[in-house]
Amino acid sequence: MRANKYLYIVSLDDDVHFVIFNGLNKEFLILEEKALTSMMELINNPDTYASTHPKILQSLAASKFIVEEGFDERAILKEERDSFVHALEFKTTILPTFECNYNCWYCVQEHEPVVLDYTRFDLIMKHIKKYLLENTIHEYVLSWFGGEPLTQPKVIEYIAPKLISFCEEHKIDFSSGITTNGALLNIDNIKLLQKCKVDYYQIAIDGDEKTHNKNKQDSLSDSSFRLILNNIVNLLRINSDAKVTLRINYTLATLKSDTLVTDITRYIPKEYRNRILVDLQKVWQVKEQNVSILLLRKLQEKLVECGFELSIQHVFSMCYVEKEHYNMFYYTGGVEKCDKRPIGKLRGHLDANGDIIWSEKPIFEDYDLFDDKCICNSCRYYPLCYCGCPILREERIIENHGKIPCGHQGQYDLLEHRIKDYCWRVINNKKLKR
């Protein structure tokens, strides 16, 4: 036996407790400093202690902290990636608009008024139906995005029922979600979305009520914070299948707020909190390394104490943009892999047959992160970052003459920070289930 190649040791709280983190399966051990040396001795030299510590070694082997000599970690990671990228699930994101009722300071989109041409939506549906059949897809996932998609609810009402009917006819599993700021999630739109089988919602707030309202000023209410949270409650009351991820976009100042959690709980009754998953996400302008784990941990603890579960899904994950069966469709008829590209520079469009014509094909679909050209092939941090953002990676490949560079450009300290964030989310969620 030997140690797993993807183990990381990180201080969890001011060098009192340490974490041994397993990158392969995201399991971890928490140890005081005095016990850490002994445990690492066991992990690094398991055969030496086979007769004296058999139960501990059996447990370490079950969790893959130690593995057989012939165990191939790289093969496990490659299989994980292949399964994710080539899954027989067709995921599409449709942007019915680039308009938005807010103008958030951290948003990278340039919102613009739209002129809708429903023949474009017919082409999108034509493409989707062809793609599902030609690729023998088992599951279809329809996501709505924008801009703010609920500025154009009639587009959702036009497209979704037709695709639902098609999937039912061809025995394809259908599911749907929406990313919305929640302000336009009134009773009529809740019922419309329920009819369109939209059951997954990602809705963001920007801090405590005062901070949020400074950023999102609303003509519908003197408090957009109150409006959005009340809409979430109505959604969960009306649609019993609805699940909400409440994304808290935080800055360094947000983490210091004394009122964030009390402001949230003022509007969301306790009986609805177990259907809301809270995802703490820094705004992109904040460097991850500058975020205080202590403040983040305290915020997590408060949320769990109030009955909210913390999301762990996207702390370590591959981006859905990398999926073979994924595309993003714009109301203009344009096609892209990600909304990071400006709407005026989309690389694909749909022709009259509903086929995608690429003026410049995305290149990240054609390379292998486990090829010798890619630094990930031998990088011990790969299962913590999966080579970072594929769109940024694509730009760097072009600059690097075809060679795939590090997605984080060697800034591995932020990955250690991510381990701490993940561990505290898991630890706090366990308190919720006691």
Side-chain angles (χ1 to χ4, degrees):
M1 303 283 292
R2 61 170 176 78
N4 171 358
K5 293 177 182 177
Y6 296 98
L7 298 182
Y8 317 92
I9 300 173
V10 176
S11 170
L12 191 59
D13 52 4
D14 298 328
D15 295 340
V16 176
H17 293 92
F18 287 80
V19 162
I20 305 174
F21 191 83
N22 185 341
L24 279 185
N25 55 21
K26 310 309 185 275
E27 293 193 26
F28 57 90
L29 300 171
I30 301 174
L31 300 159
E32 293 184 3
E33 183 178 13
K34 60 185 178 184
L36 178 64
T37 302
S38 299
M39 182 59 75
M40 288 310 301
E41 173 66 20
L42 280 174
I43 289 173
N44 288 326
N45 302 286
D47 293 341
T48 304
Y49 299 95
S51 60
T52 56
H53 296 75
K55 289 187 177 180
I56 296 177
L57 292 175
Q58 185 179 7
S59 177
L60 291 171
S63 299
K64 294 290 187 291
F65 284 87
I66 57 174
V67 295
E68 297 290 342
E69 287 292 342
F71 185 79
D72 189 348
E73 292 95 332
R74 182 179 176 277
I76 298 293
L77 293 171
K78 193 174 190 313
E79 182 182 357
E80 177 191 39
R81 184 172 191 84
D82 288 344
S83 296
F84 178 84
V85 171
H86 303 298
L88 284 177
E89 167 197 86
F90 185 31
K91 180 179 173 68
T92 63
T93 299
I94 298 178
L95 292 84
T97 181
F98 233 44
E99 293 176 309
C100 189
N101 50 317
Y102 291 134
N103 187 26
C104 303
W105 66 270
Y106 52 79
C107 183
V108 297
Q109 292 182 344
E110 294 182 9
H111 302 304
E112 58 179 38
V114 301
V115 177
L116 296 180
D117 179 352
Y118 276 70
T119 61
R120 304 287 189 189
F121 300 129
D122 290 334
L123 284 178
I124 291 172
M125 287 187 284
K126 186 175 184 178
H127 171 84
I128 291 169
K129 291 174 181 179
K130 284 175 61 177
Y131 195 98
L132 287 169
L133 297 182
E134 290 173 357
N135 292 277
T136 321
I137 299 297
H138 300 158
E139 181 179 355
Y140 176 57
V141 181
L142 172 59
S143 297
W144 297 100
F145 194 59
E148 170 48 54
L150 288 180
T151 61
Q152 298 293 342
K154 289 190 178 300
V155 175
I156 299 174
E157 190 175 30
Y158 180 75
I159 294 175
K162 295 179 178 65
L163 293 179
I164 291 169
S165 177
F166 181 85
C167 287
E168 288 175 349
E169 178 186 351
H170 294 279
K171 295 180 172 55
I172 298 168
D173 290 338
F174 177 93
S175 60
S176 186
I178 188 169
T179 299
T180 170
N181 57 45
L184 303 178
L185 197 60
N186 54 41
I187 300 298
D188 287 342
N189 282 337
I190 289 170
K191 291 180 178 179
L192 182 154
L193 292 172
Q194 185 178 24
K195 182 180 72 172
C196 294
K197 293 192 175 182
V198 178
D199 291 330
Y200 171 74
Y201 292 74
Q202 179 171 280
I203 301 172
I205 57 173
D206 296 339
D208 57 39
E209 186 163 12
K210 183 178 179 181
T211 302
H212 174 96
N213 288 341
K214 281 182 180 178
N215 188 35
K216 289 182 166 75
Q217 298 178 9
D218 203 309
S219 60
L220 299 175
S221 172
D222 60 351
S223 171
S224 62
F225 185 92
R226 181 180 67 242
L227 172 68
I228 291 166
L229 295 186
N230 283 341
N231 286 347
I232 290 174
V233 172
N234 285 332
L235 166 66
L236 295 173
R237 178 176 54 81
I238 293 169
N239 184 353
S240 60
D241 293 324
K243 297 179 180 64
V244 174
T245 294
L246 180 65
R247 175 170 172 149
I248 301 178
N249 295 321
Y250 69 81
T251 62
L252 301 181
T254 305
L255 293 180
K256 298 175 183 177
S257 171
D258 294 325
T259 63
L260 174 57
V261 176
T262 54
D263 285 351
I264 294 172
T265 55
R266 182 183 305 121
Y267 298 113
I268 299 181
K270 196 165 188 177
E271 62 265 32
Y272 294 110
R273 295 175 197 169
N274 63 350
R275 293 170 59 195
I276 297 174
L277 199 63
V278 175
D279 193 12
L280 296 163
Q281 293 282 346
K282 69 174 187 63
V283 297
W284 69 269
Q285 291 91 342
V286 172
K287 285 189 176 181
E288 198 161 345
Q289 303 95 314
N290 294 339
V291 175
S292 165
I293 281 293
L294 178 60
L295 291 176
L296 197 55
R297 170 190 168 187
K298 286 181 177 179
L299 176 55
Q300 291 175 6
E301 289 172 347
K302 289 179 182 178
L303 288 162
V304 168
E305 286 170 2
C306 292
F308 295 102
E309 184 176 353
L310 303 166
S311 172
I312 62 171
Q313 296 171 349
H314 302 300
V315 181
F316 304 110
S317 65
M318 286 172 270
C319 180
Y320 58 80
V321 165
E322 302 204 67
K323 283 181 171 289
E324 176 186 1
H325 304 298
Y326 173 79
N327 277 306
M328 177 173 276
F329 299 94
Y330 290 70
Y331 65 93
T332 59
V335 186
E336 251 306 334
K337 302 298 286 190
C338 178
D339 71 308
K340 280 189 171 69
R341 291 184 72 92
I343 196 167
K345 295 183 178 180
L346 305 182
R347 294 175 287 183
H349 72 274
L350 292 171
D351 67 12
N353 297 316
D355 295 321
I356 300 176
I357 306 299
W358 293 103
S359 60
E360 176 192 338
K361 198 169 187 307
I363 63 173
F364 62 79
E365 296 177 338
D366 300 325
Y367 59 67
D368 179 6
L369 293 185
F370 294 93
D371 186 270
D372 290 339
K373 289 183 179 179
C374 182
I375 193 172
C376 297
N377 184 46
S378 57
C379 179
R380 68 182 301 269
Y381 288 97
Y382 167 78
L384 301 182
C385 78
Y386 299 103
C387 205
C389 171
I391 302 302
L392 294 177
R393 191 193 317 145
E394 186 174 57
E395 294 172 2
R396 290 171 186 153
I397 290 170
I398 295 170
E399 295 168 0
N400 215 32
H401 307 293
K403 189 172 181 179
I404 304 172
C406 174
H408 288 290
Q409 298 181 309
Q411 296 180 350
Y412 300 127
D413 54 337
L414 68 85
L415 299 176
E416 294 185 357
H417 181 280
R418 207 165 290 175
I419 288 174
K420 297 179 188 181
D421 181 11
Y422 178 90
C423 290
W424 281 118
R425 293 187 193 210
V426 172
I427 293 165
N428 281 308
N429 279 344
K430 286 181 178 177
K431 295 176 185 176
L432 184 66
K433 296 171 182 176
R434 286 175 185 168

